[in-house]
Amino acid sequence: MENRYFQKEIETMPVEELKALQSEKLKKQVKHVYENVPYYRDLMDKKGVKPEDINGIEDLHKLPFLTKADLRDAYPYGLLAKPLKDCVRIQSTSGTTGRRVVAFYTQNDIELWEDCCARAIVAAGGTEEDVCQVAYGYGLFTGGPGLNGGSHKVGCLTLPMSSGNTERQIQFMTDLNATIICCTPSYAAYIGETLEEKGFKPDDIPLKAGIFGAEPWTEEMRRGIEKTLGIKAYDIYGLTETSGPGVAFECSEQTGMHINEDHFLAEIIDPDTGEVLPEGSKGELVFTSLDKEAFPLLRYRTRDICVLSRKKCSCGRTLIKMAKPMGRSDDMLIIRGVNVFPSQIETVLLNEGYQPNYQIVVDRKGNTDTFDVHVEMNPEHFTDTVSGITAKEKALANAMKTMLGINPAVHLVAPKSIVRSEGKAVRVIDKRKLHD
C-alpha cells in the first residue's frame, strides 16, 4: 500500500526538528499551566520548580507527576487552565471507581484532536473515497466523537452509528458499502460472529480496514478479527485525560503505534521509583500534553506498561512508536501472590480454540483468594454431557495454570451467555475488599 499521510510535514519530520518543536511547546505549556492552574502550581512549588527552570524537553524530569488521584481530587474544575467561557465541550471517562474524570476542550483542542484521529484513519488507508462506520459509543465517551471528527477531516462519508444495535450496523455496513469500521475490538469480534451466523463470508463484506481501541486485545484476537471480517485491523490508543483516541495509532507495518509527538510528549518511567528509563526499557507510560489549552496535563501517569522505540519504520513516519500496552501497573491482578493479566487468559483461550468471551471473578474466602474464569463455549465445543464439559474445563484450567503459574476454576458456559460489551468489555470482577 502506498504510504499516505494526513499531515506529512509533521508525520515525517526529522527527529531533531521534532524534539526542538517539543522543547519550544513545552516551555510555553509549563508557563501556561503554572500561571493558570493553582493545583499544579502548588505541586511545582512543593518541588521547588519554576517555569524558567524548564528550557526544553531535557528538563521534563524536573516537573511533578499527575495521577488519576489528582484528577479526582481536583474534580471538576481544579485542573482547568482556561476560563469556562472559552471551553466548548467536556468528555468523561467511563471509570467505575471514585469520581469520574472530566476533561475540557476549547475549539482549538477539538481541532487538534480530530487531526490526530484523521492521521490514524489515513494511516489505515482512509481517503475521501471511503465510507467510515463509527461504532464506538458517542456522548461522554471519547471514541465516537474523536473518530467522527477525524473521519470528517479526511473527507470520508461518515456513518455515526454509535455502539449497539448490531442488526442495524450490519444493514448500513452492507447497504452503504462501509469500507472502514471503528469500534472496540470485542465489538468487532461480535459483529464478525454475527455476520458468520448470517452466512456472510469475508468477501461478501465491503470493509477493508478497522480501527480498534479502548480496551486491551492480543495479536491472536487481531488475526481472528482480520480473518472473520476480511480486513486489516489497526490499533489506536488514547486517554480521555489527554484528549481521547488518536494519541497514538498504527500504520501498515503493525509493529507498534506512532505517538503524535507534536502534541504528546512521552516518557517511560519505573512505576515504583518514578525514575525516567532509557528508550527500549519496559515501564509505565507518562504523557505531557504540549498543546492542550483547556485541560493540559503535565507528566500524567497512564499506568499502562509498555516500551518506546525509535526504530526506523517502513511507513516513513519518524514519530516514536509505543508497543501495545502489556498490561497496567494498576489493574494487574495479584491472586494468591501471583501477578495475573487478563490478556494472558485471552491468549490461552485463543490458543485453545475458544473465542475471547470470558469473565474473571476473584473473591476471598477466609484468607484465601478464589479465582474463577467463566468461558463461553463455541457452538462447535458445545456439549450437554456433564463428563464432556468437565473434561474441557479441566484441559483449559491446566493450560491456564501453565501460563499463569496458578490454578483457576474454569466454568464453561453456553454460547452467548456472557453479556457482550459494546463499549468496554468488563473482563474482571474483583469482589475482594483489598482497599478501604
Side-chain angles (χ1 to χ4, degrees), residues 23 32 45 51 60 84 117 120 147 158 164 178 187 237 249 268 280 333-334 346 349 385:
S23 287
H32 170 57
D45 288 346
L60 183 64
L84 269 180
C117 290
L147 271 304
T158 309
Y187 193 42
Y237 176 89
F249 62 91
I268 293 287
L333 290 161
I334 300 177
E346 184 172 304
L349 292 178
T385 69

Side-chain angles (χ1 to χ4, degrees), residues 107-141:
Q107 187 56 44
N108 187 58
D109 290 337
I110 288 173
E111 294 292 334
L112 297 183
W113 174 27
E114 291 178 349
D115 284 349
C116 290
C117 290
R119 290 179 193 176
I121 292 168
V122 172
T127 71
E128 64 279 1
E129 304 287 333
D130 282 291
V131 177
C132 184
Q133 182 160 339
V134 182
Y136 282 112
Y138 280 68
L140 289 171
F141 179 59

Side-chain angles (χ1 to χ4, degrees), residues 176-189:
L176 293 168
N177 289 316
T179 49
I180 299 171
I181 186 161
C182 308
C183 61
T184 61
S186 59
Y187 193 42

Side-chain angles (χ1 to χ4, degrees), residues 40-105:
Y40 198 77
R41 180 165 64 239
D42 289 347
L43 292 179
M44 282 179 67
D45 288 346
K46 278 180 196 147
K47 214 174 171 195
V49 189
K50 293 279 183 273
E52 51 271 24
D53 297 328
I54 309 300
N55 295 305
I57 56 174
E58 66 282 356
D59 294 323
L60 183 64
H61 68 277
K62 297 176 183 176
L63 293 168
F65 292 114
L66 276 173
T67 65
K68 196 159 246 184
D70 290 309
L71 270 61
R72 292 194 179 115
D73 289 347
Y75 173 92
Y77 298 125
L79 288 166
L80 193 59
K82 282 280 191 183
L84 269 180
K85 68 179 175 61
D86 294 344
C87 300
V88 298
R89 192 193 298 172
I90 68 151
Q91 302 283 167
S92 177
T93 61
S94 54
T96 53
T97 54
R99 291 168 169 165
R100 295 179 74 93
V101 170
V102 174
F104 298 83
Y105 300 73

Side-chain angles (χ1 to χ4, degrees), residues 174-295:
T174 50
D175 291 354
L176 293 168
N177 289 316
T179 49
I180 299 171
I181 186 161
C182 308
C183 61
T184 61
S186 59
Y187 193 42
Y190 183 56
I191 290 173
E193 278 177 35
T194 309
L195 281 161
E196 267 189 338
E197 282 169 12
K198 289 178 174 295
F200 284 92
K201 296 193 167 51
D203 289 349
D204 304 329
I205 304 163
L207 296 174
K208 66 176 187 183
I211 298 173
F212 307 126
E215 64 188 11
W217 54 310
T218 56
E219 283 303 307
E220 293 95 332
M221 191 171 181
R222 185 210 299 264
R223 300 297 162 226
I225 292 168
E226 289 185 331
K227 190 176 165 201
T228 315
L229 294 176
I231 60 171
K232 189 155 181 170
Y234 294 82
D235 211 344
I236 191 167
Y237 176 89
L239 304 147
T240 302
E241 297 92 322
T242 52
S243 67
V247 170
F249 62 91
E250 221 170 21
C251 64
S252 54
E253 195 177 274
Q254 292 185 315
T255 55
M257 290 171 276
H258 290 286
I259 294 172
N260 283 309
E261 288 187 276
D262 53 322
H263 302 307
F264 309 103
L265 182 50
E267 306 168 89
I268 293 287
I269 63 163
D270 179 317
D272 298 323
T273 66
E275 177 200 354
V276 180
L277 302 175
E279 184 199 318
S281 306
K282 182 175 166 182
E284 183 183 339
L285 184 61
V286 173
F287 277 119
T288 293
S289 303
L290 293 172
D291 296 299
K292 276 295 281 284
E293 294 175 340
F295 197 69

